[in-house]
Structure formats: structure tokens, C-alpha cells
Amino acid sequence: MAQPYSGDTWKEVNKKSKGSVSLAYVQTPSFVYVDDAGKLTGICVDIMSDFVTWLKETKKVELTTKFVGDGSNFHGMYDNVKASKGGVFGLGNITITDERKKEVKFSQPFITNFAILITQGKVSTLNKLEDMPKNFAGLTAYAAKGTLNEKRILDLKSRYYPDMKIVNTTTSQETLEKLFADPKGFAYLDLAFYLEAVKMKKSIKRHPIADKAAEQFGFIMPMGSDWASVLDEFLKANGGYTNTAQYKNILVKHLGEAGMKLMQSASKQ
């Protein structure tokens, strides 16, 4: 059952020059995660923090933010934002799709994502998707229910590997953990999860033939929200937020130099 959140509308905040909004989130490596000090941080958190600063400087508005929900799974966060009213934002690895645009409001995209097909290191590299039944024989696919990566796995099954065995998980983090535990597992995961595995020095292999780099992430808001226009104004200001040095620094901070370069190569494709 969805649990709606609430926050002040932009109209109210603009009128009173102050107000507060709720930030729902799904924990995702690099995007929204808990740092060593136990504090929520990440690309999305830093961008929202810059948005609050920009509102103060350009609109003379004091905005306070509070995190809501437990961040445990994508579906919960998405459904709760969808059911909310007023100043509520959803943060995480949220792909902009036409289907979702009918249910929630999206901001301008703030990053282009790579979805990567990964296995443990000992699985032989896939050179052609048609070779899946042979190369991945006896392997099990893991996919978080309701995500775009589950759709990708189902697409591979229908097009190349009809006998594929699929096990559903509740979160992408759980998918990653299953992959670590199962030498015969494979999954589609967002770039950030792959970078996390590399950072943890896990025996993991990327199969570049299956890379998907066309999708973009955005922040979400309830359908009735009046915040989309002002958030987009911020993201478009000064030649575009994603072209600023500040934004680049955020990517390096949370993705590392190599991760930032991969992400930027994705956006050029």
C-alpha cells in the first residue's frame, strides 16, 4: 500500500519566501547512499542541495528538505511519490520512460546511464548475443521486480535465450549480492552497481556487447506538483547545470574519475 508524503507547493513557498519539501529516495551506489559518517549523500543528494542554494540566491527563498521513507526499494519509493501531493521529490536511479510519464512528473534529465550485463569473472565473455544459450548455459538471471533491468532480462530471454532461468529479487542491491554469491549468476545492473563491485574488488565481468546506454535519469514528482518548472529552470540555468564544473566535481566525488568518463561516454552515444 502506497504511503503518500507531503510538502509545500512552490506557490506557497514562493509566496512566503520559505517552506519545506520531502525527499523520497531509493538507496543506489553513487546516487543515494549512506557514507561512513552515517549520513545520506550521493549525486542526487548533492544536486538537490545545489537546487536549495540556487533557490536562496535567485528566488530569495529559504527551503528546508527532509528525507522520507527508508530507501529500501525502488518500487516503494516510486509508488509513494506517485500517491503524494505538493513538494515531494523522488531521488535515485529513476529512468525517464514514456510509460512512467503518465504516472509521475519528471525533471530534465541530470545524467545518462549505462546498463551493463555482468557475471562473475570466470564466465567466458559473450561476443554475440546469439551465443547466450551456449555461453550462459546453466546460468541463472537475477532481476529486481518492476525495474527496467528486469525488462531487459525478459527481452534477452524472448529474443535469444528462451530457456533462461530467471529469479526475481526485490532490489538492485539484492541482485548484486546474489551475483556475488552465485558463480553461475548474471544480471543487468546500472553502471553505479558495477563500479561498486569493482571498488569492492569482486571478481566481476562486464559483457560490453550487451551494454545499453540510451536511458536518462531524472527526479520525479507527483503528477499535480507545481515544482517541475522551477526545478527545470535551475537545471537549465547558465548553459545547463550538467555543463558546470560543480556538476563534474559531484560526478568525480561519487563515481570516481573512471566512472565519470564512462558516464560521459554514455551521454555522447
Side-chain angles (χ1 to χ4, degrees):
M1 209 30 207
Q3 293 175 310
Y5 304 124
S6 62
D8 296 327
T9 63
W10 167 239
K11 193 179 175 185
E12 291 167 329
V13 171
N14 201 20
K15 197 172 161 189
K16 296 179 191 162
S17 298
K18 63 173 188 188
S20 77
V21 295
S22 295
L23 306 179
Y25 62 99
V26 55
Q27 280 206 46
T28 315
S30 306
F31 287 88
V32 188
Y33 62 98
V34 179
D35 66 14
D36 295 338
K39 202 166 149 266
L40 271 177
T41 185
I43 295 166
C44 295
V45 177
D46 285 356
I47 293 174
M48 286 312 277
S49 170
D50 283 352
F51 176 49
V52 169
T53 305
W54 177 84
L55 283 171
K56 190 176 180 176
E57 287 168 358
T58 62
K59 309 284 183 188
K60 309 295 179 249
V61 155
E62 292 278 350
L63 189 70
T64 55
T65 60
K66 65 172 189 285
F67 289 106
V68 292
D70 63 5
S72 67
N73 76 81
F74 180 91
H75 231 50
M77 175 279 299
Y78 182 89
D79 289 344
N80 290 346
V81 172
K82 190 168 97 174
S84 297
K85 285 187 168 63
V88 177
F89 298 86
L91 282 56
N93 54 337
I94 314 167
T95 307
I96 301 169
T97 70
D98 288 340
E99 216 173 304
R100 289 175 180 165
K101 279 181 182 171
K102 294 172 188 156
E103 303 181 322
V104 291
K105 264 189 184 165
F106 274 97
S107 69
Q108 292 283 309
F110 64 85
I111 206 160
T112 301
N113 176 51
F114 252 134
I116 292 173
L117 190 68
I118 53 178
T119 60
Q120 284 203 16
K122 288 191 172 133
V123 175
S124 61
T125 305
L126 194 63
N127 294 315
K128 290 208 305 278
L129 292 171
E130 289 79 7
D131 292 342
M132 275 197 93
K134 190 175 74 191
N135 281 46
F136 284 22
L139 301 195
T140 300
Y142 294 98
K145 196 89 188 121
T147 61
L148 215 57
N149 286 326
E150 181 196 26
K151 278 190 175 170
R152 292 197 172 98
I153 287 290
L154 291 168
D155 185 50
L156 287 179
K157 182 181 167 86
S158 73
R159 292 173 67 182
Y160 304 105
Y161 191 3
D163 294 336
M164 184 193 293
K165 186 184 164 202
I166 302 172
V167 172
N168 278 118
T169 62
T170 50
T171 67
S172 298
Q173 187 61 43
E174 189 193 336
T175 301
L176 187 64
E177 282 155 19
K178 293 272 192 214
L179 212 59
F180 292 158
D182 183 1
K184 289 183 174 296
F186 69 98
Y188 254 122
L189 280 167
D190 294 337
L191 174 70
F193 287 92
Y194 169 70
L195 295 173
E196 176 87 342
V198 170
K199 204 161 73 186
M200 291 163 77
K201 301 199 170 15
K202 295 287 184 182
S203 166
I204 209 106
K205 181 184 275 190
R206 170 182 165 202
H207 298 264
I209 187 74
D211 282 358
K212 299 280 185 195
E215 63 186 39
Q216 294 178 307
F217 290 164
F219 299 104
I220 59 169
M221 293 150 275
M223 261 312 196
S225 173
D226 63 352
W227 278 95
S229 56
V230 71
L231 179 55
D232 283 349
E233 192 186 327
F234 157 69
L235 289 169
K236 286 175 180 171
N238 309 316
Y241 180 78
T242 57
N243 295 317
T244 63
Q246 169 71 358
Y247 173 76
K248 221 156 268 188
N249 291 340
I250 288 172
L251 292 195
V252 173
K253 175 177 157 192
H254 298 292
L255 289 166
E257 200 76 51
M260 182 199 74
K261 287 194 172 124
L262 260 178
M263 278 290 191
Q264 292 194 315
S265 72
S267 62
K268 290 186 178 79
Q269 287 193 9

